[in-house]
Amino acid sequence: MLVCLDISNLVARHHHAPRAEPITDPEGRSVAGAVGALDQAAKLIRKLSPSHLLVARDGTRANEGRRTIDASYKAHRPPPDESRVANLHLTFAALELLRWPVREVDRWEADDVIASVCAAYRGRVLIVSGDRDMLALCSDRVRVRLLRAGGAHLTCGPAECRQVLGVHPHQVRDLRAMAGDRSDGIPGVPGVGPKSALTALAACGTLAEVYRRLDANEPIDELKPNVVAKLQAGREQARTSWRLAGLNDELRVDIDALEAAAALRFAAVEEPLRALGLGALFPRTMSSMTR
């Protein structure tokens, strides 16, 4: 089995999670994001003993791949939380000490790295992320451990994708193209929300079929006339959004280099990890990993 970690997502979730007591370094700075992400990942690796491991990260200028499609892609986002960024840097410093296989591709996002590895790897894959967009990768051999609030998770295949999003995995891209994705700055079709997009996909199956029927003046009885008018008017936004919403699964990543034999070598690097300010890994939950 290959385990793919969307590590930035894990760090963000733990950094922002409410907790009874802060997790800090000796200078009092929060390291909850780094400690929580590494702790969660290590426990899962210990439990599953995967043959291969991928820690995916955004490449340098990660948004440029999609900004060739739309220059405003993710431009609406505010500057990142400095503390969260510091936790992310700490996490990658720890991963370098641990020798976990971290991979990035210039101009592309971690999601694209994961999609490319899923396409190339022929065995079972488990993706660990709180990002529902990852459900587009669900298949008979790819599962997504979808992280939820409070430490809960749902392991998703194609059936669970339909349960969570209302569509099959191959329809996730079309759903986002019509309904948009505010977080990623994918515009979608103006005035067409998730409910109407789901109705359109239930009736037609794909976005391409929606527009084929509209072009052929074939009625889509399930859609209200005002929704049909919005789809007609928003054709260009739909086309652009569809291109933005797709995952690039053609990046080159060396699968053989992702072997996970040394994944849990915390004991060997305990002192360097403490020097980074991550001593909280050991007295809290990592002591079992060092034996």
Side-chain angles (χ1 to χ4, degrees):
M1 172 188 282
L2 164 66
V3 169
C4 298
L5 301 176
D6 183 358
I7 199 68
S8 296
N9 187 274
L10 268 66
V11 170
R13 294 180 72 82
H14 286 281
H15 177 70
H16 294 294
R19 60 186 72 253
E21 297 181 3
I23 303 176
T24 59
D25 67 7
E27 282 71 45
R29 294 169 295 200
S30 174
V31 291
V35 169
L38 291 166
D39 175 32
Q40 184 174 21
K43 286 179 176 177
L44 185 65
I45 292 166
R46 184 181 180 89
K47 178 180 179 181
L48 297 177
S49 297
S51 60
H52 293 75
L53 174 66
L54 166 71
V55 181
R57 70 179 295 178
D58 290 342
T60 305
R61 301 168 297 167
N63 295 328
E64 286 193 7
R66 288 180 174 81
R67 284 184 177 163
T68 61
I69 301 169
D70 184 345
S72 66
Y73 178 71
K74 289 189 176 180
H76 67 296
R77 290 188 171 182
D81 179 320
E82 291 185 6
S83 178
R84 179 167 62 84
V85 171
N87 270 258
L88 193 58
H89 290 326
L90 270 178
T91 302
F92 286 117
L95 293 174
E96 185 174 355
L97 290 171
L98 292 165
R99 299 179 190 169
W100 290 15
V102 178
R103 296 293 180 270
E104 63 182 282
V105 177
D106 187 32
R107 300 177 65 249
W108 294 99
E109 299 173 63
D111 295 1
D112 302 299
V113 176
I114 291 173
S116 297
V117 169
C118 286
Y121 186 76
R122 304 302 353 141
R124 291 183 300 127
V125 180
L126 179 68
I127 300 167
V128 183
S129 177
D131 187 349
R132 302 198 307 173
D133 301 343
M134 291 283 94
L135 298 182
L137 299 174
C138 290
S139 71
D140 58 349
R141 63 179 183 81
V142 177
R143 295 290 185 268
V144 176
R145 189 180 180 97
L146 187 64
L147 306 177
R148 294 181 160 183
H153 73 271
L154 175 67
T155 300
C156 298
E160 290 77 16
C161 174
R162 185 167 173 78
Q163 173 189 332
V164 172
L165 295 179
V167 292
H168 299 288
H170 71 273
Q171 296 174 307
V172 172
R173 183 179 189 177
D174 290 353
L175 175 64
R176 297 179 73 209
M178 277 191 280
D181 187 325
R182 185 174 300 178
S183 174
D184 285 347
I186 296 175
V189 177
V192 175
K195 184 176 179 179
S196 295
L198 288 170
T199 300
L201 290 174
C204 300
T206 66
L207 180 62
E209 177 63 12
V210 169
Y211 281 108
R212 187 202 68 77
R213 288 172 65 170
L214 293 180
D215 289 343
N217 292 318
E218 296 178 11
I220 306 176
D221 295 334
E222 294 85 350
L223 295 179
K224 296 178 180 179
N226 68 319
V227 174
V228 171
K230 290 171 182 175
L231 286 166
Q232 290 279 31
R235 182 184 300 265
E236 286 305 313
Q237 291 96 326
R239 181 180 289 114
T240 297
S241 296
W242 189 84
R243 294 176 66 197
L244 289 173
L247 296 174
N248 183 351
D249 64 0
E250 298 181 348
L251 303 177
R252 296 185 62 181
V253 182
D254 184 358
I255 299 295
D256 292 337
L258 302 179
E259 294 183 0
L264 295 177
R265 54 191 303 273
F266 283 87
V269 293
E270 179 173 352
E271 289 309 311
L273 286 172
R274 288 185 181 279
L276 286 175
L278 298 176
L281 283 167
F282 296 93
R284 288 176 179 270
T285 52
M286 286 301 168
S287 58
S288 63
M289 302 291 178
T290 64
R291 299 190 186 108

